[in-house]
Amino acid sequence: MAITKEKIYEPLNEQTAIELVKTLNFFAPGAELVVHEIGDGNLNLVFQIKDLHTSKSLIIKQALPYARVVGESWPLTLDRSRIESDALKLAGEVVPNLVPEVYYTNPTLALTVMEDLSTHTILRKGLIARNKYPQLADHIGTYLAKTLFFTSDFALHPFKKKELTVNFTNPELCKITEDLVFTDPFHDHDTNDFPFELIEDVKQIWGNTKLKLEVAKLKKKFLTEQEALLHGDLHTGSIFATEQSTKVIDPEFAYYGPIGFDVGAFLANIFLNAVALPGHTTDKKEIVEYREHLLQIARDTWTVFSATFSQLWKENGLEIYTKVDGYLEVILQDIFRDSIGFAGCKIIRRIIGLAHVEDIESILDDTLKMVVKRKALKIGQELILQQTNIQNIDDLITLVEAQVQ
Ligand code: SR1
Ligand code: MG
């Protein structure tokens, strides 16, 4: 079959997806293959292919030359597929248990064939269903520490670091983040998407010069600081989980950026779920308990991240100044402050900007939904404005806990 030999890109359909895996001999000759296109993200095609005889299955993820959520009027580079598969492979070297295995990549067709994680649940959906994930904080804290430390100047030869910086130059996907996270929600822009009831709250944000000055500084960090290879879009829809296992997927936004951006993205999405919680159950005891579970995840993720990062620093630091007393503490404090600021921007973009979160949008009671959105805007602003006053993770959790009540 011709598709793997094609020199030009074409989007797969269910038939050509099956032809592709047959050509690549992923299944035995007598396999009875069924295919479903299951992509529900903003950008790509995702095919799940399964052999009914053996139950063996895999995923083909293919980039479209445009953003799926908007359509062909928003062209988007196919190179994001190469970036994603390279980032998955690199993460697989340092956290093999925390990312899907990559079986095959084809940059011309902009596709990656990888492990099927359908035994797992998308974390965002699991959190909305109030499932508990006892390993999640340990896994995500470890994922963050290892992927970020080992791709930083603290651990790499400077030539290798620069080579990776070039390989992961990702201008089009970064531009999406620059616009949708840092610029548009803080200005009257046509990509914004918020209910009319919030107009006064939103106008107050647009007019808040102090807030916008902090956002400008955070955007500058995103634009200019090449600290480590980020996942770039580490929200709870980019994580598959069971009680025992966690897998981080979808690093198509990967690029060299500030470490706190990934940490903040994860924390922001945990906080968004916490603020949405009363929209999904009226059981007060359950709300209190599950909120505690979520805030403990946020607390433990930072604790595991900072402890693991510190250990790697001591054992694997290549940069000579990693031996200087006090430097690690300065770096961790900077990452902590940045994480809080970035988390604030990430929360606000999900209320005012394009691309919302199901945690909030699935709340059926419109009045309650509006209360939740207002609270989220308040938390986002507090995080951005208080980032330098919040001294440690307990202070951060206390602040968020008080706001989500
Ligand atoms: C047009 S893409 C919108 C959002 O989806 C992705 O998951 C990123 O978060 C991006 O900002
Ligand atoms: Mg994604």
Side-chain angles (χ1 to χ4, degrees):
M1 107 96 219
I3 194 147
T4 52
K5 298 194 180 71
E6 291 291 349
K7 298 245 180 330
I8 54 159
Y9 169 88
E10 67 177 273
L12 293 177
N13 55 42
E14 294 192 343
Q15 190 196 330
T16 53
I18 292 221
E19 287 172 18
L20 175 74
V21 295
K22 281 187 176 166
T23 307
L24 295 169
N25 295 320
F26 277 118
F27 293 94
E32 192 181 338
L33 299 181
V34 286
V35 56
H36 297 290
E37 203 286 303
I38 56 168
D40 66 351
N42 291 324
L43 302 177
N44 306 295
L45 293 172
V46 181
F47 297 92
Q48 181 195 47
I49 301 182
K50 190 172 185 173
D51 176 2
L52 291 180
H53 295 317
T54 62
S55 290
K56 177 182 169 178
S57 61
L58 49 71
I59 291 291
I60 305 175
K61 178 169 176 182
Q62 186 182 38
L64 288 163
Y66 52 86
R68 182 176 181 164
V69 68
V70 174
E72 295 186 31
S73 62
W74 188 337
L76 202 51
T77 177
L78 293 173
D79 192 43
R80 67 188 194 271
S81 173
R82 176 195 64 80
I83 299 242
E84 173 167 345
S85 56
D86 281 359
L88 280 177
K89 286 188 251 179
L90 205 54
E93 290 174 19
V94 290
V95 283
N97 298 332
L98 300 177
V99 288
E101 192 180 338
V102 172
Y103 304 139
Y104 170 81
T105 62
N106 185 323
T108 306
L109 291 172
L111 64 79
T112 305
V113 182
M114 65 184 117
E115 185 180 354
D116 180 14
L117 298 171
S118 52
T119 52
H120 294 56
T121 305
I122 288 281
L123 180 60
R124 189 182 301 289
K125 292 186 186 296
L127 296 178
I128 294 169
R130 298 181 296 290
N131 297 334
K132 295 212 170 158
Y133 295 97
Q135 302 298 322
L136 179 65
D138 190 35
H139 288 163
I140 294 298
T142 303
Y143 170 89
L144 288 165
K146 291 193 173 176
T147 57
L148 296 167
F149 178 80
F150 282 119
T151 57
S152 76
D153 282 299
F154 305 126
L156 287 177
H157 186 282
F159 292 171
K160 182 67 186 169
K161 152 76 187 307
K162 269 79 171 183
E163 183 192 316
L164 287 173
T165 310
V166 171
N167 189 55
F168 288 99
T169 300
N170 198 355
E172 286 192 36
L173 282 281
C174 282
K175 178 75 163 62
I176 291 178
T177 303
E178 290 151 22
D179 292 343
L180 296 188
V181 176
F182 294 107
T183 303
D184 301 356
F186 299 92
H187 298 86
D188 186 0
H189 198 280
D190 59 9
T191 61
N192 286 333
D193 175 18
F194 58 88
F196 183 72
E197 293 96 309
L198 290 184
I199 185 70
E200 292 310 320
D201 307 74
V202 172
K203 277 186 177 168
Q204 185 264 324
I205 287 175
W206 291 345
N208 188 337
T209 308
K210 209 169 152 206
L211 182 79
K212 285 165 81 171
L213 177 59
E214 294 308 317
V215 176
K217 290 194 260 178
L218 288 159
K219 182 178 176 185
K220 177 170 178 282
K221 283 174 185 283
F222 185 86
L223 287 166
T224 61
E225 291 188 5
Q226 302 189 321
E227 273 191 311
L229 180 63
L230 308 188
H231 177 283
D233 195 25
L234 191 57
H235 56 77
T236 47
S238 297
I239 298 170
F240 270 107
T242 67
E243 278 187 21
Q244 285 81 34
S245 166
T246 309
K247 303 277 185 182
V248 176
I249 60 165
D250 271 7
E252 66 201 311
F253 284 76
Y255 89 113
Y256 261 82
I259 288 175
F261 189 77
D262 272 2
V263 181
F266 181 72
L267 295 180
N269 281 268
I270 296 297
F271 296 155
L272 280 164
N273 188 267
V275 75
L277 186 52
H280 298 290
T281 174
T282 51
D283 181 336
K284 291 215 163 45
K285 187 163 168 275
E286 192 184 17
I287 292 175
V288 170
E289 266 179 25
Y290 200 70
R291 183 184 291 146
E292 178 54 32
H293 176 65
L294 290 168
L295 295 179
Q296 195 61 37
I297 288 172
R299 190 195 314 266
D300 291 349
T301 300
W302 174 261
T303 306
V304 170
F305 166 76
S306 56
T308 311
F309 194 91
S310 301
Q311 190 190 349
L312 296 173
W313 176 286
K314 283 166 193 152
E315 291 173 1
N316 301 82
L318 196 67
E319 155 62 37
I320 193 164
Y321 285 106
T322 56
K323 312 294 176 236
V324 169
D325 280 350
Y327 188 32
L328 169 62
E329 288 69 26
V330 168
I331 293 298
L332 282 174
Q333 197 57 40
D334 285 353
I335 295 171
F336 184 63
R337 184 203 54 220
D338 292 353
S339 303
I340 298 169
F342 289 132
C345 297
K346 289 276 200 172
I347 289 172
I348 290 177
R349 65 81 53 113
R350 296 297 186 187
I351 307 298
I352 300 180
L354 185 77
H356 293 185
V357 289
E358 190 183 340
D359 316 51
I360 294 178
E361 295 310 319
S362 62
I363 297 173
L364 297 174
D365 179 332
D366 281 338
T367 310
L368 198 50
K369 194 191 289 190
M370 231 42 71
V371 171
V372 164
K373 289 191 178 198
R374 283 206 176 88
K375 276 191 190 173
L377 287 180
K378 184 92 194 310
I379 295 171
Q381 292 175 82
E382 281 288 297
L383 297 188
I384 293 168
L385 291 169
Q386 299 297 329
Q387 55 185 302
T388 48
N389 299 328
I390 300 169
Q391 294 302 315
N392 54 48
I393 187 65
D394 287 330
D395 288 355
L396 174 63
I397 299 303
T398 304
L399 183 150
V400 173
E401 201 165 23
Q403 301 280 344
V404 294
Q405 298 296 333

